[in-house]
C-alpha cells in the first residue's frame, strides 16, 4: 500500500448509469469540494457515457484500472454501477487503491444478478424505444438522466447490453483499500450488508430517508465521503 500523503494521490470519480462526470460530480459540487481540499480530480465515465461514449466494448473496471495505473496509487469514489465497477477494479488490482468510497452498491444487484443483460433487458428496450415507456419507471428515470446529462440513449443501452465482469463476495474480501460504504436508508435496491461484511477495512454511513438516486446529491453524503477520502493514513 502506498504511503503517499492523500494530497499527492488523485481522486477518481466514476458515475452511475445515465449520468456522467460533468452532470453527476461537477454539477453536484463534488469536484469543487475535492479541489478546495487540494485534491486533483479525474473523471472516468462508464462505457457508453460522456467521454467514454465510444468505449461500449470496454469493461468499466478496465477504464478505472487504466487510469489508476498511470498514477500508481489513487483514491476513488463510485456511485451505483460506477461503485460496482470500482469494487471490481479494487478487488483485481488492490495495491492501486488507497481509499475508496462506494455509494448505492446494494447487495441485491449482486445476489439477484440485476447486473446481467437478461435482467436489464426491460430497461434496455425502454431506452431504445422511440416512444417514452409507460410501463417501466426505471427506464423512464434513466432516460431523463441521459437527456439531462447529454448522453446518447443508444450508447447507454449498448453498454447495458454488453457483457462485463462483476465482482464476487470472494473478490470483495481481496480489497485492501480503506473503504467507505454509503447506503441510502430508503434505497429501493436494499442495504449493502454483504458488501460491508466482505471487505476487510470498512466504514459504513447510512443516509436516512435517501432513495437510491438521492445518495450522491445528499450534503451528508458529500461531507462524509470528502472527510473519509481526505483522511490522513
Amino acid at each position: 500500500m502506498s504511503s503517499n500523503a492523500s494530497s499527492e494521490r488523485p481522486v477518481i470519480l466514476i458515475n452511475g448509469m445515465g449520468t456522467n462526470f460533468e452532470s453527476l460530480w461537477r454539477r453536484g459540487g463534488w469536484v469543487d469540494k475535492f479541489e478546495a481540499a487540494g485534491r486533483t480530480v479525474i473523471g472516468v465515465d462508464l462505457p457508453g457515457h460522456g467521454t467514454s461514449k465510444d468505449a461500449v466494448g470496454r469493461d468499466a473496471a478496465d477504464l478505472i484500472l487504466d487510469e489508476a495505473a498511470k498514477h500508481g496509487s489513487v483514491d476513488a469514489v463510485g456511485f451505483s454501477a460506477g461503485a460496482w465497477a470500482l469494487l471490481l477494479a479494487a478487488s483485481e488490482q488492490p495495491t492501486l487503491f488507497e481509499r475508496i468510497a462506494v455509494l448505492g452498491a446494494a447487495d441485491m444487484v449482486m445476489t439477484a444478478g440485476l447486473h446481467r443483460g437478461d435482467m436489464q433487458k426491460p430497461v434496455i428496450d425502454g431506452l431504445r424505444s422511440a416512444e417514452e415507456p409507460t410501463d417501466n419507471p426505471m427506464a423512464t428515470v434513466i432516460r431523463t438522466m441521459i437527456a439531462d446529462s447529454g448522453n446518447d440513449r443508444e450508447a447507454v443501452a449498448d453498454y447495458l447490453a454488453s457483457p462485463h465482469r462483476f465482482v464476487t463476495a470472494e473478490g470483495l474480501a481481496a480489497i485492501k483499500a480503506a473503504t467507505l460504504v454509503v447506503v441510502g436508508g430508503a434505497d429501493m435496491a436494499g442495504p449493502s450488508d454483504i458488501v460491508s461484511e466482505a471487505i476487510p477495512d470498512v466504514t459504513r454511513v447510512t443516509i436516512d430517508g435517501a432513495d437510491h438516486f438521492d445518495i450522491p446529491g445528499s450534503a451528508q453524503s458529500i461531507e462524509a465521503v470528502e472527510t473519509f477520502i481526505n483522511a490522513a493514513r
Side-chain angles (χ1 to χ4, degrees), residues 2-225:
S2 171
S3 61
N4 290 347
S6 63
S7 61
E8 298 173 359
R9 295 189 305 272
V11 180
I12 296 176
L13 304 180
I14 310 101
N15 60 288
M17 197 67 61
T19 62
N20 55 42
F21 173 73
E22 294 295 327
S23 66
L24 184 67
W25 304 117
R26 189 180 299 281
R27 195 187 304 168
W30 290 78
V31 176
D32 288 344
K33 187 80 168 175
F34 279 118
E35 289 183 342
R39 303 301 297 272
T40 298
V41 178
I42 299 170
V44 173
D45 288 326
L46 293 175
H49 296 67
T51 58
S52 300
K53 175 186 175 182
D54 297 326
V56 170
R58 298 290 308 280
D59 195 293
D62 290 331
L63 298 183
I64 298 169
L65 289 171
D66 286 350
E67 189 60 46
K70 296 176 185 176
H71 307 281
S73 178
V74 301
D75 297 332
V77 182
F79 169 60
S80 196
W84 287 110
L86 174 56
L87 289 171
L88 177 62
S91 74
E92 292 184 340
Q93 296 289 336
T95 59
L96 289 177
F97 300 89
E98 186 79 12
R99 301 180 75 80
I100 65 174
V102 290
L103 290 61
D107 295 336
M108 189 181 297
V109 177
M110 181 167 56
T111 58
L114 299 184
H115 59 283
R116 300 197 316 261
D118 59 329
M119 297 292 285
Q120 295 283 359
K121 189 175 187 304
V123 173
I124 294 167
D125 291 344
L127 294 184
R128 288 180 170 156
S129 172
E131 302 295 329
E132 186 80 24
T134 59
D135 59 349
N136 193 316
M138 183 58 67
T140 299
V141 168
I142 295 177
R143 282 174 70 115
T144 299
M145 292 190 297
I146 288 171
D148 182 61
S149 302
N151 287 325
D152 180 89
R153 278 196 290 115
E154 283 293 335
V156 174
D158 286 346
Y159 171 62
L160 271 176
S162 67
H164 43 269
R165 307 189 306 282
F166 200 81
V167 71
T168 63
E170 293 77 14
L172 293 172
I175 293 174
K176 296 184 182 299
T179 303
L180 176 67
V181 175
V182 182
V183 180
D187 193 333
M188 56 193 171
S192 301
D193 293 340
I194 295 173
V195 173
S196 299
E197 292 166 6
I199 299 172
D201 184 1
V202 163
T203 301
R204 178 169 168 157
V205 170
T206 299
I207 310 300
D208 291 337
D211 198 350
H212 187 75
F213 295 108
D214 296 332
I215 299 171
S218 160
Q220 181 187 350
S221 178
I222 297 172
E223 184 65 29
V225 172

